[in-house]
Amino acid sequence: MSDIVGIDLGTTNSLIGIMEAGFPILLADAEGERLLPSVVHFPLEGEPMIGRVAERARALAPRETISSIKRLMGRREAGAYEMHDGKIRVRDAHFAPEEISARILCQLKQNAEKALGRSVDRAVITVPAYFNDAQRLATKRAGEIAGFTVERILSEPTAAALAYGLDRLAEKSQVAVYDFGGGTFDLSILRLHEGVFEVLATNGNTQLGGDDLDSALVADCDLPIPEFEKRTLVIEAKHRLSREEEVRIELPFVAGRNYVYELTRARLEEIARPIVEKTRWHCARALADAKMSASDLDEIILVGGATRMPLVRAFAREFFGRAPNVSQNPDEAVAIGATIQAGILSGAVQGVVLLDVTPLSLGIETFGGLMNVIIPRNSTIPIKAGEMFTTAVSHQRAMSIHVLQGEREMARDNWPLGKFELEFEPAPKGVPRVGVQFAIDADGLLHVLARDTKTGREKELALTSAIEVTDEAVEKMLEDSLEHAFEDMSERNWTEATLKANEMLKAVGGARAIMAGQIGAAEDGAIAQAVAEVEAAIGEKNLLRLQRANANLDSATQSLAAAVLEKVTR
């Protein structure tokens, strides 16, 4: 049978994936990004822009930029947009919500076909469990407009449960999926019956999500900057506060003076709590409809970007009386599940037998000496999992696959299991695509497969030592990971911040060269000052200073980025 892709058509971001060599891979665009912002910009001339370019264009033309279109699928109200007879007006044209969603799906289709080197025209597309028939039909219609045969409209909680591997729970297990995304919220109760998830009850709100939290933060921010810049600023701060207690972002030369935006996690939670509390009624209603209490549940999983917030996780723990399962990337779980369902329909995925678990995490070393986990510890075996990787340096001729086992953040602190190289054609950095699959069979044998997606060239390494570790060795590794957790995470954060800084410095240098003589002296001076601050922070090896400097440089170059975009797309 031909390929079937899995698609998460999200309010904020959308993703597409495919089963490759027996494991789900989320496909990235030419820039190596898996998340595609669900934003469409209609320029005065030329084809619509989709994704990050559309997001950047919103700063210049917000009225011609459509986001959160998922909230309007199958509906006739326009919300923030001018709407007539079920269609949104943009410039002199009118578009049905499914036509705009189709633009996003078209971009995902193009990204997938470019990454795979072959056409894809069959898809599984996810929707919230409480989407009504009109909303489901509109989603299917969007897929058809984009050129897909829509094989299945899959409920997001079912997809999430598949991604978490909950199909391997005991028969009659009951699961709650708390899905708090960018524009929608729902709580679904599922029961596993003969390998199939049955949705017992669901309750939610198509107009409640992270967008509402962002709007509340924007309203609380009194800086004299445009709405879009303010939203970008508070979203960045919100994301950082999932890891930090306080964020301080300096804004030089705004309206003739310097400003500082400060936000603490305590203030964020004060603003967010009334919005998060709105989910309580929906959770209680879903449990009541399923005729059960929270204590009857075997598992609670969190899905959606908003569930990264400590406040949301604390709410889930308090309401359900147990810690939620947060082992999966909340932004990617639904897409992974859709991809697995697509594999089931295409015959690429067969039944899995519950046998054992992995004692320690397995992964590979990535750029900067970091440990990238592919199979987390305590994963049920047999299991297959993988990711797509690319190059960090232009014109590489090979990728070294260094297989590791352990719980530390840096590769050097984990146990090396083996190493091999996969050769490929030299290309600019970020262009080669190498899929790396880890598969542990029922006998505890680890197979590591690396494949160049362009040529199909592949190499495989078989290892037995990955599972043959003593209880004492496992305990020692876990003790070390706890003992060094703070310093390990600090080093990882420093490495990631340095990599980001170097990428930004290079990009800003190129942009200033393109726009030489075309930006004001004050703005250019602010950018130069921000660049100098990043370089000084790197030299000082001060993580907090570098994180702030990176954020400041990103903020200071927003107008420059928009100007470059306008110039190159003119």
Side-chain angles (χ1 to χ4, degrees):
M1 299 178 70
S2 61
D3 294 326
I4 305 177
V5 293
I7 296 175
D8 173 11
L9 184 59
T11 305
T12 306
N13 295 293
S14 296
L15 303 97
I16 187 168
I18 194 167
M19 296 299 297
E20 281 280 321
F23 64 101
I25 292 178
L26 298 183
L27 301 171
D29 60 18
E31 299 173 12
E33 297 287 345
R34 294 193 290 266
L35 292 173
L36 176 74
S38 301
V39 184
V40 181
H41 172 70
F42 294 87
L44 191 60
E45 296 179 358
E47 289 297 308
M49 301 174 182
I50 318 295
R52 277 172 295 282
V53 291
E55 215 170 31
R56 292 192 288 266
R58 180 162 51 188
L60 302 174
R63 293 175 61 85
E64 289 71 46
T65 306
I66 307 297
S67 59
S68 300
I69 191 62
K70 184 174 179 177
R71 284 186 160 186
L72 301 183
M73 294 293 283
R75 302 169 65 92
R76 300 185 69 82
E77 309 88 359
Y81 304 109
E82 181 180 346
M83 203 167 188
H84 177 69
D85 196 24
K87 293 190 175 184
I88 300 170
R89 180 176 179 179
V90 185
R91 297 194 188 276
D92 295 324
H94 290 80
F95 301 93
E98 56 264 35
E99 292 176 309
I100 295 174
S101 288
R103 301 277 187 178
I104 299 167
L105 292 169
C106 275
Q107 186 63 54
L108 289 173
K109 189 173 190 290
Q110 290 174 22
N111 292 347
E113 290 177 342
K114 187 172 182 180
L116 296 170
R118 60 184 185 271
S119 63
V120 291
D121 53 17
R122 303 170 68 200
V124 170
I125 304 177
T126 61
V127 296
Y130 56 83
F131 253 26
N132 60 31
D133 285 346
Q135 292 167 308
R136 291 169 184 265
L137 286 172
T139 303
K140 184 176 182 181
R141 175 60 180 152
E144 291 168 345
I145 295 171
F148 286 112
T149 297
V150 182
E151 299 290 346
R152 183 76 54 87
I153 294 294
L154 178 67
S155 291
E156 290 169 1
T158 301
L162 284 172
Y164 274 82
L166 301 187
D167 54 327
R168 296 191 294 272
L169 289 174
E171 182 70 357
K172 303 296 184 182
S173 292
Q174 296 170 148
V175 177
V177 181
Y178 183 98
D179 188 348
F180 199 177
T184 61
F185 168 77
D186 69 88
L187 190 285
S188 300
I189 310 297
L190 288 70
R191 176 183 292 150
L192 182 64
H193 178 61
E194 296 181 354
V196 177
F197 285 109
E198 175 189 6
V199 178
L200 301 179
T202 188
N203 204 284
N205 188 339
T206 59
Q207 307 300 306
L208 175 64
D211 286 355
D212 302 289
L213 173 56
D214 296 342
S215 296
L217 285 171
V218 169
D220 187 68
C221 177
D222 60 358
L223 293 177
I225 56 177
E227 182 87 358
F228 173 75
E229 293 181 22
K230 192 180 292 188
R231 180 169 288 267
T232 301
L233 184 74
V234 301
I235 289 174
E236 179 202 351
K238 178 188 72 173
H239 290 169
R240 287 174 56 187
L241 286 172
S242 290
R243 307 181 304 273
E244 305 170 30
E245 291 292 335
E246 182 177 353
V247 169
R248 174 188 170 95
I249 300 175
E250 297 180 358
L251 302 173
F253 305 111
V254 175
R257 55 173 290 192
N258 296 335
Y259 285 87
V260 174
Y261 178 64
E262 293 180 309
L263 185 65
T264 63
R265 182 182 291 178
R267 178 56 181 159
L268 168 64
E269 293 184 349
E270 180 182 350
I271 296 169
R273 186 166 283 106
I275 297 169
V276 175
E277 276 295 322
K278 289 181 180 179
T279 69
R280 184 181 296 274
W281 185 89
H282 298 293
C283 294
R285 184 73 259 178
L287 283 170
D289 290 346
K291 297 180 174 57
M292 66 174 64
S293 64
S295 61
D296 296 322
L297 296 169
D298 298 290
E299 195 82 72
I300 296 96
I301 62 176
L302 303 185
V303 180
T307 64
R308 293 182 187 277
M309 295 177 61
L311 172 67
V312 175
R313 295 186 175 188
F315 171 86
R317 187 182 304 110
E318 176 264 322
F319 182 87
F320 294 105
R322 62 186 297 174
N325 183 337
V326 294
S327 62
Q328 294 292 318
N329 182 329
D331 291 318
E332 298 182 348
V334 170
I336 289 288
T339 301
I340 294 171
Q341 179 63 48
I344 292 170
L345 294 178
S346 69
V349 175
Q350 305 296 328
V352 177
V353 180
L354 178 63
L355 289 176
D356 206 344
V357 297
T358 58
L360 291 170
S361 299
L362 297 162
I364 68 171
E365 180 177 359
T366 55
F367 192 60
L370 300 175
M371 164 72 157
N372 189 98
V373 173
I374 291 180
I375 296 181
R377 67 180 294 264
N378 287 332
S379 294
T380 301
I381 60 172
I383 186 174
K384 288 183 180 180
E387 287 187 30
M388 191 75 76
F389 294 91
T390 188
T391 53
V393 179
S394 292
H395 308 302
Q396 279 183 226
R397 294 182 176 273
M399 181 179 290
S400 178
I401 310 298
H402 186 195
V403 183
L404 304 166
Q405 182 177 28
E407 303 305 314
R408 303 288 296 275
E409 297 292 336
M410 305 305 294
R412 65 170 184 271
D413 297 320
N414 293 296
W415 296 332
L417 299 180
K419 182 184 291 188
F420 64 99
E421 285 195 348
L422 180 69
E423 297 179 349
F424 44 76
E425 298 174 1
K429 71 172 184 177
V431 173
R433 293 287 184 273
V434 174
V436 177
Q437 173 190 292
F438 278 33
I440 306 175
D441 63 22
D443 296 318
L445 180 66
L446 171 66
H447 297 267
V448 180
L449 175 72
R451 174 184 293 140
D452 176 15
T453 60
K454 181 178 180 181
T455 64
R457 183 184 299 147
E458 64 183 40
K459 281 189 178 180
E460 184 174 355
L461 180 67
L463 302 156
T464 56
S465 61
I467 307 304
E468 295 175 358
V469 290
T470 65
D471 291 344
E472 292 78 9
V474 171
E475 185 175 344
K476 179 66 166 58
M477 172 60 76
L478 295 176
E479 287 177 356
D480 287 347
S481 70
L482 292 173
E483 181 182 348
H484 300 286
F486 180 79
E487 57 209 72
D488 281 2
M489 187 54 66
S490 294
E491 185 171 1
R492 185 182 192 96
N493 288 340
W494 170 254
T495 301
E496 291 176 342
T498 304
L499 292 173
K500 178 181 178 181
N502 289 330
E503 285 290 324
M504 289 175 64
L505 289 172
K506 183 176 179 181
V508 170
R512 292 177 74 189
I514 291 172
M515 300 301 297
Q518 300 178 55
I519 56 177
E523 182 181 355
D524 193 53
I527 293 172
Q529 181 178 337
V531 166
E533 175 62 15
V534 170
E535 293 172 339
I538 293 174
E540 187 182 303
K541 293 188 177 181
N542 185 316
L543 174 59
L544 184 59
R545 183 180 178 185
L546 180 57
Q547 289 174 331
R548 290 173 176 171
N550 281 344
N552 186 38
L553 179 58
D554 190 42
S555 176
T557 55
Q558 289 292 320
S559 297
L560 175 63
V564 171
L565 172 67
E566 184 178 20
K567 184 172 183 177
V568 300
T569 58
R570 188 176 299 161

